[in-house]
Amino acid sequence: MNKTVQRLVVEKKEIVNKDNFILSLKSPVPLVEVQAGQFLSINVEKSKDVFLRRPFSIHDVNYGNNTLDVLIKSVGPGSAALKEVEVGDLVDTIFPLGNSFTMPNKGEKVLLVGGGVGIAPMLYLAKVLQPITSDINILLGSRKGEDQILLDRYAEVGNVLTTTEDGMVGEKGYVTDHSFMKERLQDVGRIYCCGPEPMMKSIAKLAEEKQVYCEVSLENMMGCGFGVCLCCVTDTHEGHKCVCSDGPIFNIADLKW
Amino acid sequence: MNKTVQRLVVEKKEIVNKDNFILSLKSPVPLVEVQAGQFLSINVEKSKDVFLRRPFSIHDVNYGNNTLDVLIKSVGPGSAALKEVEVGDLVDTIFPLGNSFTMPNKGEKVLLVGGGVGIAPMLYLAKVLQPITSDINILLGSRKGEDQILLDRYAEVGNVLTTTEDGMVGEKGYVTDHSFMKERLQDVGRIYCCGPEPMMKSIAKLAEEKQVYCEVSLENMMGCGFGVCLCCVTDTHEGHKCVCSDGPIFNIADLKW
Amino acid sequence: MVDLNVDLGNGLVLDNPVLTASGTFGYGTEFDDFIDLNRLGGFVVKGTTLHHREGNAYPRMAETPSGMLNAVGLQNKGVKYFVDQIYPTLTKYQSKVIVNVSGSTIEDYVSCTEYLEGLDGIDAIELNISCPNVKEGGMAFGTSCASAEKVVAAVRKVYSKHLMVKLSPNVTDITEIARSAEASGADSVSLINTILGMAIDTNRRRPLLSTVTGGLSGPAVKPVALRMVWQVANSVNIPVVGLGGIMNAQDAVEFMLAGATAVQLGTANFIDPQVTVKVVEGIEVYMKEHEMSSTKDLIGGLIL
Amino acid sequence: MVDLNVDLGNGLVLDNPVLTASGTFGYGTEFDDFIDLNRLGGFVVKGTTLHHREGNAYPRMAETPSGMLNAVGLQNKGVKYFVDQIYPTLTKYQSKVIVNVSGSTIEDYVSCTEYLEGLDGIDAIELNISCPNVKEGGMAFGTSCASAEKVVAAVRKVYSKHLMVKLSPNVTDITEIARSAEASGADSVSLINTILGMAIDTNRRRPLLSTVTGGLSGPAVKPVALRMVWQVANSVNIPVVGLGGIMNAQDAVEFMLAGATAVQLGTANFIDPQVTVKVVEGIEVYMKEHEMSSTKDLIGGLIL
Ligand SMILES: Cc1cc2nc3c(=O)[nH]c(=O)nc-3n(C[C@H](O)[C@H](O)[C@H](O)COP(=O)(O)OP(=O)(O)OC[C@H]3O[C@@H](n4cnc5c(N)ncnc54)[C@H](O)[C@@H]3O)c2cc1C
Ligand SMILES: Cc1cc2nc3c(=O)[nH]c(=O)nc-3n(C[C@H](O)[C@H](O)[C@H](O)COP(=O)(O)OP(=O)(O)OC[C@H]3O[C@@H](n4cnc5c(N)ncnc54)[C@H](O)[C@@H]3O)c2cc1C
Ligand SMILES: Cc1cc2nc3c(=O)[nH]c(=O)nc-3n(C[C@H](O)[C@H](O)[C@H](O)COP(=O)(O)O)c2cc1C
Ligand SMILES: Cc1cc2nc3c(=O)[nH]c(=O)nc-3n(C[C@H](O)[C@H](O)[C@H](O)COP(=O)(O)O)c2cc1C
Ligand code: FES
Ligand code: FES
């Protein structure tokens, strides 16, 4: 699982909706093994306003085709410039970076929670979970109905549940308001969660109350992405830990939340 | 002749040879009048290695079609990035900038000398000269035969003479070695010259010896391109003058060469 | 309604906080083709000295990552030429006009200022004690408290209108120099001037500037400028004018949140000669979005 | 044949002039996946202090035009941990290993150094008197001649191998501090550490760093770093190690032409973790093209 610097070829660009798009990046050499929850970093070469690499979760992996997919939300100069890349362009990447989600016990009920573009790592995670358990529940939350994307794809790999704040898709409210949380959380063996920090914190609180094991995928400003600059720390009970190398996946029991 | 900041549309990109290319830039509004010797500046938006605008001579003008042509030699990050623009892209320009070549007397013999990419302004200059005189001699010098470009186009607007240092095209040697210089320079009313500084200096020396009026188009590092930063000065008998606004065209009699 | 007015003290009130930086805006009139100069809070004209100066030899400019080095060296035709030839062209604008004054000796500064004192159309002078591109004077005055005090006090005696003092970033503690300027009678301080830098042409193995070193400006210096503005705003009681690498309204807002009462745009004008007007508009949009009705809400509005 | 060897004095001879900058290269081993560490002249490991330090709160990083601000604040597990746990992993490399030492008091610096003095595998220490990200000590030692002299002299007494002193750019005259370091026994000086800067999130109206200000690094600072290296190389008689914004071999060559005997690469490693090896190769290519057989031709080879 050595980290490599690689120029990958953009094999496909899929515009998902106004803000989100998926890049399929093809490696000219056999893809190294990638684990669910890991990320890659991209050197955005054509934007004057970007200096450092940008980290993105691994959304999907196709070893047969040697492609990695990333689901990106356009929020600033780096992600916007990546939206302009074209099929055939080369993208300078480093991967695989970071630790990964831990696996549940055989057959255990699991809950994957994704908020906003935090749904990105959940697709590959669900795929990796499939041989281990068939009770995969994927709860996807968004503010508006139109931000509920890729539902069909997630439906292929698990039981999809949704919430929207405007109530246009699924249950109205936050992910923590979903009926699943009241009715079935106690049966869940593991929660995996990625999304905005307030969302992850409220999931973590629920998980703690119900004493369910829970892992979250954190974000932080990254200088390097591979553990040398110490810019990306988060507070844990063992002191500052790097989100890029000790994480991005943390057991909520270790976090000082 | 007001200067304007305009986003022009790339209507055509013509790769002339390995290093040189021509961009035809179309104005959505009627083109302002442009004089021979003037230049435009381009804000190269997609290169991290370019901060300031880059100046390029006006190579050709088509008022009917509202296009300006620039002939660019790829020498560094800015010009290289411009080679990557595509038809339909927008290019942020300011024009027209600088002063212009002065016109000869009716019917006067004129000599246009271009070295390397210094041939760029000579095409439009020859076109502007045509109604004034029919005795237009265009001497194009380059190091190698393969750098003699666009000869057919120049032949349409004047009597083309060539020199190459490797002797592969035209007379062997520098532009100053051309037989025209020995045999017909005394009949010339005006010389217009653009190219590497050593070339312009040797032409200037010849012109002085033979007492022929001579104008040269200078280059200098430019901060602004429109006369406000005072970065681009050259030495004249009246002190420092700005190449971008007092020039780029100077009468050699004014220069401290 | 958003009120963009700012008061720099001693009579200098601007319609909006956007000024231009000296040496990057000519005499203003060069921008007539590009913008309506009356849209600006004001403009600071070219560095002016008592006598005519040819400036440094060329090359005077080198591009650097997100910035540029210049070594112009205060080329100008002298204050008399300014008063006779340029001043009359400037009186037609409503925007405030500020003259940037430089010198090699205290007497130079004083004599140059005396030419400007009586001119109704000149609303303030900006005392440049921070030019890194001249052999004598210039930055030397701005890098020690004692010399800063002397030159500011001397000019203060002969100038009654608004006296802005422009500080050098090439110092260990800029707040010290700012306090000296304040104590000696400055009505405001502007910062930063350029940071001393250098670039080399590796092919020719020679410096890219005729003077070897020159002044760095542009977005590269913005973080340093912003830090200094914040430090100075927290240590003097006179208004601070912030500059250094401002390229857009968001940058300008950063400086104002850090404590600047007004901002100046320099190098940005070279890349977009219409940037100043865009920044005026952008500040207004920002204030509306953040429900600020007066620039007082913006100035020093950083939440710690 | 090109000889890339450089001699930094007091026994520190590098196979080539390329070092890494402290705090940007971890303990070196993190780069094993990317490069052959033996290709480097040497590497400077993370800032080490006497006691364990948690560093500053987050956010610790902000991107700026062609650069970044950091406010890590010397997070490290202390010198004892380094000696016990890290040191054994470093002895296998041929490249020279330099430990960057920091402290809040002179006693800290001295005690920390004493742990390192006896280690065969540590070839030099780099005394960091220029960290802008800690409340006590750090940069304070590097901004006055008197305190620089004291700390360098104290460490010199307990350390016999190569002593490199890392200078702060946040000063009026860096040559003064460099001369103080030289006079107090430094074998070489390295410069620059980061320049104090700041950035603001206009939306949230808050500083982007938990510490409000932080250290600027990357290509944005290169012109300033190069100028300081040139100034210092012309005013001390010990070797100078140049750094600040070096991104490629051409940048490295600029520093060496300006007078640096070796260079360090910092922030560049974040964008391309293989950059160091590319710079070693690029320097060799440059020397061949310019018909230089020894680094002596390159160092200080600027033509004025
Ligand atoms: C481990 C990890 C995995 C991520 N996975 C994804 C993903 O799968 N899809 C996706 O769209 N986004 C993902 N992100 C967020 C993504 O990195 C940022 O949206 C992106 O860097 C923004 O860059 P920008 O230039 O477009 O915007 P900027 O203007 O630079 O930033 C916009 C916002 O993004 C955040 N951001 C900027 N730079 C970084 C950085 N270097 N590290 C962390 N956050 C930053 C800041 O909070 C900022 O407010 C992930 C972040 C991390 C740390
Ligand atoms: C009035 C004028 C007209 C010009 N007309 C043409 C033209 O028609 N076609 C053409 O190909 N080139 C022309 N040039 C030169 C052109 O501006 C440079 O080749 C270009 O700016 C190089 O940019 P770069 O980023 O590719 O290379 P860089 O790496 O920036 O520079 C390569 C070389 O170009 C020169 N250069 C760089 N920036 C500038 C600048 N701002 N001003 C002047 N010289 C610079 C430097 O000497 C440098 O060594 C003209 C220059 C001037 C001043
Ligand atoms: C080409 C040029 C010329 C300058 N001339 C002067 C000057 O005459 N007087 C002065 O006080 N500052 C001068 N400056 C400094 C600017 O006014 C300003 O302080 C500096 O460029 C930082 O701002 P910026 O990054 O917005 O350009 C000059 C700057 C440049 C780039
Ligand atoms: C994230 C980060 C951490 C740093 N930590 C240290 C440190 O511990 N000790 C030190 O002397 N310098 C430290 N520095 C400064 C660098 O070593 C170097 O002096 C500076 O970054 C300039 O070089 P660069 O532009 O090549 O990065 C750090 C820099 C960065 C970016
Ligand atoms: S981003 Fe550098 S250590 Fe995590
Ligand atoms: S480039 Fe600015 S005055 Fe000529």
Side-chain angles (χ1 to χ4, degrees), chain C residues 71-93:
Chain C
V72 171
L74 297 175
Q75 176 176 331
N76 79 102
K77 295 213 161 80
V79 67
K80 217 180 149 328
Y81 176 89
F82 172 80
V83 173
D84 295 344
Q85 305 292 321
I86 307 295
Y87 173 66
T89 70
L90 301 179
T91 50
K92 64 168 182 273
Y93 300 106

Side-chain angles (χ1 to χ4, degrees), chain B residues 229 231, chain C residues 21-24 47 68 70 72 74 100 128 166 192-194 217-218 221 243-246 265-267 270:
Chain B
C229 74
C231 285
Chain C
S22 178
T24 66
M68 63 176 278
N70 90 79
V72 171
L74 297 175
N100 179 271
N128 177 6
K166 186 162 179 183
I192 61 172
N193 208 316
T194 54
S217 65
V221 308
L243 72 151
I246 299 177
L265 273 75
T267 306
F270 304 162

Side-chain angles (χ1 to χ4, degrees), chain C residues 64-66 69 143 170-173 195-207 212-213 216 219-220 222-224 226-227 230-231 250 253-255 257-258 286 290 292 297 301-304, chain D residues 64-66 69 143 170-173 195-207 212-213 216 219-220 222-224 226-227 230-231 250 253-255 257-258 286 290 292 297 301-304:
Chain C
T64 65
S66 300
L69 291 164
T143 53
N170 301 291
V171 294
T172 308
D173 180 2
I195 307 183
L196 205 59
M198 178 174 171
I200 291 174
D201 179 340
T202 53
N203 257 332
R204 299 174 52 249
R205 296 171 53 182
R206 284 187 163 79
V212 185
T213 61
L216 183 65
K222 199 195 85 178
V224 180
L226 189 66
R227 179 263 297 182
W230 183 73
Q231 289 179 319
Q250 189 180 312
V253 166
E254 285 192 54
F255 278 83
L257 289 173
Y286 178 90
H290 289 75
M292 298 174 172
D297 305 327
L302 188 69
I303 306 170
L304 287 182
Chain D
T64 65
S66 298
L69 290 165
T143 54
N170 300 292
V171 294
T172 308
D173 180 3
I195 307 183
L196 205 59
M198 177 175 173
I200 291 174
D201 179 339
T202 52
N203 256 334
R204 299 175 51 250
R205 295 172 56 182
R206 284 188 161 80
V212 184
T213 62
L216 182 64
K222 198 194 85 178
V224 180
L226 188 67
R227 179 263 296 182
W230 183 72
Q231 289 178 319
Q250 189 179 313
V253 166
E254 286 192 55
F255 277 82
L257 289 172
Y286 178 89
H290 288 76
M292 298 173 171
D297 304 328
L302 188 69
I303 306 170
L304 287 183

Side-chain angles (χ1 to χ4, degrees), chain B residues 77-128:
Chain B
S79 43
L82 287 173
K83 204 172 172 181
E84 303 304 313
V85 301
E86 278 161 40
V87 170
D89 284 357
L90 290 172
V91 176
D92 176 9
T93 61
I94 304 183
F95 68 92
L97 296 172
N99 69 353
S100 53
F101 291 109
T102 60
M103 291 298 114
N105 296 322
K106 201 87 191 157
E108 209 167 39
K109 185 194 271 299
V110 294
L111 174 64
L112 285 58
V113 187
V117 76
I119 69 171
M122 296 307 163
L123 187 72
Y124 185 53
L125 173 60
K127 289 192 179 179
V128 168

Side-chain angles (χ1 to χ4, degrees), chain C residues 140-163:
Chain C
F141 285 107
T143 53
S144 102
C145 292
S147 55
E149 272 164 28
K150 268 189 216 145
V151 65
V152 175
V155 170
R156 176 75 292 174
K157 275 205 202 107
V158 301
Y159 196 72
S160 58
K161 279 192 273 186
H162 189 97
L163 173 59

Side-chain angles (χ1 to χ4, degrees), chain A residues 43-48 50-51 86, chain B residues 43-48 50-51 86:
Chain A
N43 183 8
V44 184
E45 292 170 294
K46 285 196 178 159
S47 169
K48 276 198 221 273
V50 177
F51 175 60
E86 279 162 40
Chain B
N43 182 8
V44 184
E45 292 170 295
K46 284 196 179 161
S47 169
K48 274 197 220 273
V50 176
F51 175 60
E86 278 161 40

Side-chain angles (χ1 to χ4, degrees), chain B residues 39 50 53-57 71-73 75-80 117 120-121 218-222 243 248, chain C residues 61 63:
Chain B
F39 65 98
V50 176
R53 287 175 172 270
R54 295 291 190 259
F56 298 101
S57 302
L71 167 63
I72 300 181
K73 181 171 177 184
V75 298
S79 43
V117 76
L218 298 189
E219 288 199 10
N220 205 329
M221 298 307 286
M222 291 189 178
V243 169
Chain C
M61 197 278 286
E63 192 180 61

